[in-house]
């Protein structure tokens, strides 16, 4: 890597850290809450998927309707949590 590229990369890294430092405590707290929402939805969806696996104990390569329905619900929980967390982060960003 050339010296210019190294200097450029270092400048970008420093700028990124500088911008991150500009976040207020309130914004950081809101982003932490958003991450907690995301993690909670992920854990719930993971548990639902584990339950889905138990609904079809036969390993024949085909999922039962009950397993598919449970996996669809898990995907919806995951998507909803992600959307809610993204909205919370957007709101925090716009407030500052």
């Amino acid at each position: 890597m050339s010296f210019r590229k190294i200097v450029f990369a270092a400048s970008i890294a420093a700028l990124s850290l500088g911008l991150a430092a500009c976040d207020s405590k309130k914004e950081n707290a809101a982003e932490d809450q958003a991450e907690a929402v995301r993690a909670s939805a992920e854990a719930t969806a993971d548990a639902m998927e584990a339950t889905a696996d138990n609904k079809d104990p036969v390993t024949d390569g085909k999922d039962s309707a009950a397993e598919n329905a449970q996996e669809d619900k898990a995907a919806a929980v995951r998507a909803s949590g992600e959307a809610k967390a993204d909205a919370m982060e957007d709101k925090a960003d716009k407030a500052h």
Side-chain angles (χ1 to χ4, degrees), residues 12 44 56:
I12 295 297
T44 300
D56 187 13

Side-chain angles (χ1 to χ4, degrees), residues 3-51:
F3 181 73
R4 285 184 185 168
K5 288 182 181 179
I6 293 171
V7 171
F8 180 72
S11 298
I12 295 297
L15 180 61
S16 296
L17 290 173
L19 290 175
C22 292
D23 290 350
S24 69
K25 289 181 182 180
K26 188 175 180 180
E27 183 177 358
N28 287 335
E31 289 174 351
D32 289 345
Q33 287 177 332
E35 189 56 39
V37 166
R38 185 176 283 114
S40 177
E42 189 71 27
T44 300
D46 288 347
M48 292 173 77
E49 287 172 344
T51 301

Side-chain angles (χ1 to χ4, degrees), residues 43-86:
T44 300
D46 288 347
M48 292 173 77
E49 287 172 344
T51 301
D53 292 339
N54 293 332
K55 291 186 178 206
D56 187 13
V58 180
T59 56
D60 59 1
K62 296 180 182 179
D63 293 341
S64 69
E67 182 178 7
N68 286 331
Q70 185 74 10
E71 287 176 350
D72 289 345
K73 288 178 185 177
V77 165
R78 186 173 278 114
S80 175
E82 187 68 29
K84 182 176 180 180
D86 287 346

